[in-house]
Amino acid sequence: MEKICQLSWGPPATLDAAETWGAAPGEQAAAFAVAPPTRKKKISDADVMRRMIKATGGLPNVPAEFAGSAVAEAEFLLQVASEVEHGLLVLYLYAAYSTNDTQTTPPSTPAPFDAEGWQTRLLNIAIQEMDHLLNVQNMLLAVGKKPYFGRGNFPPLPDRAKFYPFPFQFEPLSQISLGKYVSAESPDPVLGMIDQSKLTEDQKTWLPRAVASGKAGAMQSINHVGVIYAKLYWMLQDDGTPVLPWLLPKEQFEKVRHVTDIDLPNLSTSILLQGKFDEGFQGDEGPEPPDAESEHRVIWTLDSRAKMRAAIAQIAEQGEGTKIASDSHFVSFLQLFGEFVTKVDAGSPIPVLPVPTHPNTANDPATEGGRITHPVTLLWARLFNARYRILIAELALIMSESVKENLADGAATGLASRPRLIGDAISREMRQPFGIRGLAKRLTAMPLKADGSGNAGAPFEMPAAPLPTEPTAIRDLLLTFFDESKLIVDDLLALTGSDALPQHDRDGLTNALIAKDKPMRSDVALMKLSP
């Protein structure tokens, strides 16, 4: 079961009526169906967090077996945060690839050209979610724990959907999906009031419609992960005194314990494993001092609790916290929402491809509508899954070895060293024609069903079993993923007749995958990893 579905939520501390905004608990269900009130007066972080805690039902509590110490509790909460960031990352990628960014559109997918650059902007948000995900991994390493890239498959089971910020599902860009993203990334829950000082006049007009669309589409309350980040921030304080840059309400967290420097004896060692801004990841260096103003695309090197707090505050400010930054995901999605509904209201063509909701290769009756049954498309979808899983495993291994490990030595050629793995993950697995970007775009132009109807989409399916966290187990799993990819490529190359691949695809699969996977697999098999 996903970590996020194992949380329980405790009641917040009793609030004085004068400090409370919004509806009473019994009125929350009705309030979630309408847009939030807005407010021009600046509201403190503490006031907003009080409302967030009330709206989400309290603070997150981890299962007893994972609460033996403050560090163990922090590890579990960081794993939950990782699941959310990973989930949002792939949802936003799917939405991006559902837009038409080419002037030449296949006859089966008529859609206008994305002249507004929606895909580019959505991909930029997804990259920022990737930075968030990497920073959460760095925090796990800083507290002496292993990287964690796991998440559940979507849609979540019906009894688990309520634990998510909203029921995650892969779906094309729409008024409803954008409304959900606006609501989930907003700096204040629907029960409170949103500071409008950084919104344009158009954005202020679009906001009520966006939130109403999001709530209607989610069919449940939007849960804010900002409360999880707030608890982690409080745990990393020296004591119960609120501290900048995120001043939290003391009475809500006074019973929460703290992670101390004594709990973090291996910070210097963890830095060797943490992802760095200058290693090829798309991010900048963390500012000095840690609470200084900076852009939000930051990869933090975390060598103190102060820097961990700064990283958490920055993640929250960009998407899941109590403030509105100029480059926040909330504002970005609100602008996209406004542009989308402006086209809808004007009757203008929408540059969105007819990709399915819940594209999948499984056999769950609940997702039959998105089931990929066309035999050739199914092979490409399975190849997408294999390369996506290779990417995840490579990222986990990257953060399990230091720069000087697994260099060229004897039979090893250095392909599995940290710098080479980073290059492979970012360039080949993310960006190349036979990486997830190229394969995702390819699938949108391929038939969904065996009879040739519909259009497919990238399934982003995780393995059935949870991803391991031990480095040697990740290494062995990566070898399995390479083997799975090879079998699928062999099947694609064996297609004949009208299904036979064009020569450029045959050459691409042979040169980009088979020829490069073989030596990479050999070096991965020789990797020496510390437990």
Side-chain angles (χ1 to χ4, degrees):
M1 180 186 293
E2 307 96 297
K3 303 285 185 179
I4 193 171
C5 300
Q6 299 178 50
L7 292 178
S8 61
W9 295 81
T14 301
L15 300 181
D16 185 278
E19 298 176 334
T20 306
W21 283 260
E27 300 168 342
Q28 290 183 16
F32 280 122
V34 299
T38 54
R39 182 183 178 112
K40 294 183 179 179
K41 181 181 177 181
K42 183 174 176 59
I43 308 168
S44 72
D45 286 352
D47 289 339
V48 175
M49 183 51 60
R50 288 185 182 100
R51 294 198 299 278
M52 278 192 176
I53 292 170
K54 181 179 179 181
T56 55
L59 297 179
N61 299 306
V62 309
E65 60 267 32
F66 300 104
S69 67
V71 169
E73 184 177 6
E75 177 189 20
F76 195 95
L77 291 174
L78 286 167
Q79 289 174 336
V80 171
S82 179
E83 289 181 349
V84 173
E85 300 295 355
H86 188 173
L88 291 174
L89 164 63
V90 291
L91 290 190
Y92 298 162
L93 284 177
Y94 189 82
Y97 296 137
S98 76
T99 61
N100 181 32
D101 71 333
T102 60
Q103 292 281 10
T104 304
T105 314
S108 60
T109 57
F113 174 58
D114 175 20
E116 291 82 3
W118 289 354
Q119 183 171 115
T120 298
R121 285 187 277 167
L122 287 163
L123 289 174
N124 184 58
I125 295 172
I127 290 169
Q128 291 168 349
E129 291 292 349
M130 183 68 185
D131 290 344
H132 295 181
L133 180 61
L134 287 173
N135 283 320
V136 171
Q137 307 311 313
N138 283 353
M139 286 182 238
L140 280 165
L141 290 165
V143 299
K145 303 301 180 180
K146 299 287 193 296
Y148 177 80
F149 286 89
R151 66 167 178 84
N153 274 313
F154 307 146
L157 295 173
D159 62 334
R160 300 182 185 180
K162 63 185 178 182
F163 292 98
Y164 283 79
F166 55 90
F168 283 3
Q169 64 179 20
F170 296 111
E171 58 188 317
L173 196 69
S174 69
Q175 177 177 332
I176 293 294
S177 67
L178 283 168
K180 287 187 284 189
Y181 306 155
V182 169
S183 299
E185 299 275 9
S186 70
D188 197 0
V190 75
L191 299 179
M193 295 175 250
I194 293 177
D195 176 8
Q196 298 188 30
S197 62
K198 292 184 178 169
L199 300 183
T200 67
E201 292 303 314
D202 281 342
Q203 289 167 351
K204 294 173 187 177
T205 300
W206 297 329
L207 177 58
R209 185 173 175 182
V211 174
S213 295
K215 302 305 176 184
M219 300 184 71
Q220 69 173 46
S221 62
I222 299 290
N223 301 314
H224 286 257
V225 72
V227 178
I228 296 172
Y229 278 122
K231 183 172 181 179
L232 282 164
Y233 186 95
W234 190 269
M235 293 180 74
L236 291 164
Q237 294 181 173
D238 292 337
D239 52 37
T241 304
V243 59
L244 289 170
W246 202 1
L247 297 175
L248 298 170
K250 180 176 181 179
E251 82 281 353
Q252 297 294 312
F253 295 92
E254 58 188 357
K255 295 182 180 179
V256 175
R257 55 192 168 178
H258 299 279
V259 175
T260 67
D261 287 339
I262 297 174
D263 297 319
L264 309 175
N266 299 312
L267 268 176
S268 58
T269 302
S270 82
I271 291 172
L272 299 176
L273 303 179
Q274 292 177 30
K276 314 294 193 306
F277 77 97
D278 58 357
E279 289 186 300
F281 299 114
Q282 296 189 41
D284 299 319
E285 185 177 13
E288 289 290 350
D291 57 355
E293 290 290 329
S294 70
E295 294 299 319
H296 285 92
R297 189 173 288 181
V298 172
I299 306 294
W300 290 83
T301 299
L302 301 173
D303 58 5
S304 68
R305 286 181 294 118
K307 284 190 177 179
M308 283 187 264
R309 292 195 305 271
I312 290 170
Q314 194 170 64
I315 291 172
E317 184 176 20
Q318 190 171 47
E320 291 93 3
T322 56
K323 298 179 180 179
I324 301 178
S326 58
D327 64 344
S328 74
H329 295 175
F330 165 67
V331 174
S332 298
F333 278 125
L334 182 57
Q335 181 63 34
L336 284 166
F337 178 90
E339 294 175 17
F340 193 100
V341 296
T342 298
K343 282 183 173 292
V344 170
D345 293 346
S348 302
I350 306 296
V352 175
L353 302 170
V355 296
T357 297
H358 304 318
N360 68 93
T361 67
N363 56 10
D364 181 357
T367 57
E368 194 281 331
R371 184 84 26 81
I372 300 171
T373 58
H374 190 280
V376 177
T377 308
L378 185 59
L379 286 174
W380 285 104
R382 287 174 175 164
L383 181 61
F384 176 91
N385 283 338
R387 304 316 298 192
Y388 168 56
R389 294 167 185 178
I390 286 170
L391 171 62
I392 294 170
E394 285 185 343
L395 290 172
L397 282 180
I398 287 164
M399 305 189 82
S400 301
E401 64 171 345
S402 63
V403 174
K404 296 183 179 181
E405 292 182 292
N406 298 301
L407 302 175
D409 180 24
T413 62
L415 289 176
S417 65
R418 182 182 175 108
R420 298 291 289 274
L421 269 182
I422 291 174
D424 191 76
I426 293 175
S427 178
R428 192 163 72 111
E429 301 303 342
M430 289 187 185
R431 300 174 180 168
Q432 294 300 313
F434 297 98
I436 64 170
R437 177 184 293 182
L439 292 172
K441 291 185 176 182
R442 176 187 291 265
L443 284 165
T444 65
M446 299 189 72
L448 178 70
K449 298 299 183 181
D451 62 4
S453 63
N455 290 86
F460 284 100
E461 289 171 321
M462 294 287 286
L467 290 178
T469 56
E470 290 302 320
T472 53
I474 297 169
R475 175 200 62 197
D476 295 343
L477 190 60
L478 177 55
L479 297 176
T480 300
F481 294 155
F482 277 128
D483 293 342
E484 290 176 356
S485 177
K486 175 63 166 57
L487 291 174
I488 298 167
V489 170
D490 288 344
D491 287 342
L492 284 165
L493 294 175
L495 292 171
T496 60
S498 61
D499 291 334
L501 299 183
Q503 191 60 46
H504 67 273
D505 279 342
R506 297 180 65 84
D507 292 343
L509 289 170
T510 301
N511 298 328
L513 298 189
I514 293 178
K516 293 186 177 180
D517 281 356
K518 185 176 181 179
M520 174 66 78
R521 189 195 185 287
S522 296
D523 266 26
V524 168
L526 296 170
M527 287 181 79
K528 297 177 181 178
L529 295 160
S530 302

